[in-house]
Amino acid sequence: MTSKAERLKGHVAIVTGVSRPLGIGTAICRTLAQDGADVLFTHWRAYDRTMEWGAAEHWPEKLCEELRASGVKAEHLEIDMSSPDSPYRILDTAAGKLGNPTVLVNNAAHSTRDGYQQLSADILDAHYAVNVRAACLLSAVFAQRFDPSSGGGGRIINMVSGQDKGPMPGELAYVASKGAISAFTVSLAAEVAPLNITVNAVDPGPTDSGWMTDELKTLLRPKFPMGRLGRPEDAARLVAFLASSEAEWITGQIIHSDGGFRD
């Protein structure tokens, strides 16, 4: 039996949207590396600087050093995911520096508050460019370049936010774009199955990844039957499982790994 530390040995993983020490993307990178995968992760500090939590300016470099110290190869790429050529640049960088990728985690997201009174074409377009176009193209080109004879199969894992479970008032552009990814996941899984690529989506539920206020934590905690908030590591463990050979029979699924959260 392959040990957990080796179950992704020889694999190259791409993880988008890794910019904060407490973020889900960071936890995913760490867990994939612990399982033996080499990792290329992306980030975009210009976007983070516009958010309430701000940018962790030197975090990508620190995380890269941490991953390398664990015994795997690691690279990072600062890139604007809203650029139409970003999927090609990401895949080219991964192949050139680490080898042909076998795991893709679409974690990057653009998210701003809107609601019907503020919704505009610009807001919709900004969400579409990152959350839909970039993720869809990255997935498609990943599959186009994947060699099905390489052994072990490929894995595409999309991060979503439970749009099919209930409403998220005030985030219309975000839910529309992430809902599109849920639909895309199911259909892409059927198309690329003959290539031995699985495609799944993970909904981690409300996760304490550094953006929640104390007031929001107090409001959300009673809605989890286990009495605690979601942690980035909860999502990361599921992503790592889906990336492994143990999950080769799971595809086209939207998995609500949210600790039983009920709004």
Side-chain angles (χ1 to χ4, degrees):
M1 180 180 295
T2 302
S3 69
K4 184 176 182 295
E6 296 181 347
R7 69 178 179 178
L8 291 177
K9 187 175 182 180
H11 288 268
V12 173
I14 295 172
V15 184
T16 65
V18 182
S19 59
R20 296 183 291 118
L22 299 178
I24 291 176
T26 290
I28 291 172
C29 287
R30 284 173 170 156
T31 306
L32 293 176
Q34 288 168 6
D35 285 4
D38 297 328
V39 178
L40 168 76
F41 64 89
T42 75
H43 54 96
W44 185 235
R45 279 174 275 220
Y47 170 76
D48 292 318
R49 292 180 190 125
T50 69
M51 297 291 102
E52 293 179 3
W53 53 80
E57 295 291 345
H58 303 295
W59 179 245
E61 291 80 8
K62 291 180 179 178
L63 178 59
C64 212
E65 293 174 3
E66 176 188 324
L67 297 179
R68 290 169 181 165
S70 71
V72 303
K73 297 177 182 177
E75 300 288 343
H76 67 93
L77 175 65
E78 183 153 20
I79 189 166
D80 181 359
M81 297 291 290
S82 69
S83 174
D85 69 346
S86 63
Y88 306 94
R89 290 176 57 196
I90 292 169
L91 288 163
D92 288 345
T93 300
K97 293 191 174 184
L98 298 177
N100 293 325
T102 54
V103 177
L104 169 62
V105 183
N106 285 309
N107 176 67
H110 181 93
S111 177
T112 60
R113 300 286 295 180
D114 46 64
Y116 76 92
Q117 291 181 323
Q118 289 78 39
L119 197 63
S120 67
D122 287 343
I123 290 173
L124 283 166
D125 289 347
H127 284 77
Y128 163 78
V130 175
N131 300 352
V132 181
R133 186 179 66 198
C136 290
L137 278 177
L138 191 49
S139 299
V141 180
F142 172 92
Q144 292 164 15
R145 297 184 181 185
F146 184 76
D147 180 4
S149 66
S150 61
R155 304 284 185 266
I156 298 173
I157 302 155
N158 299 316
M159 303 303 293
V160 294
S161 299
Q163 290 73 34
D164 55 320
K165 291 185 66 178
M168 294 175 64
E171 299 185 62
L172 294 178
Y174 179 76
V175 300
S177 61
K178 282 296 188 176
I181 291 301
S182 295
F184 179 77
T185 295
V186 175
S187 290
L188 181 64
E191 282 201 31
V192 301
L195 300 176
N196 200 20
I197 298 174
T198 66
V199 187
N200 293 290
V202 171
D203 161 29
T207 302
D208 186 7
S209 58
W211 62 274
M212 292 184 183
T213 64
D214 290 339
E215 290 78 10
L216 182 57
K217 292 178 185 179
T218 300
L219 175 67
L220 291 176
R221 192 171 287 109
K223 300 182 180 184
F224 289 91
M226 294 186 185
R228 70 166 176 85
L229 301 172
R231 300 167 184 151
E233 294 77 15
D234 296 323
R237 284 190 293 269
L238 176 56
V239 169
F241 166 72
L242 291 172
S244 74
S245 61
E246 298 166 11
E248 65 181 2
W249 198 236
I250 301 172
T251 195
Q253 303 302 305
I254 301 169
I255 303 173
H256 299 289
S257 179
D258 57 10
F261 177 77
R262 293 293 180 267
D263 198 352

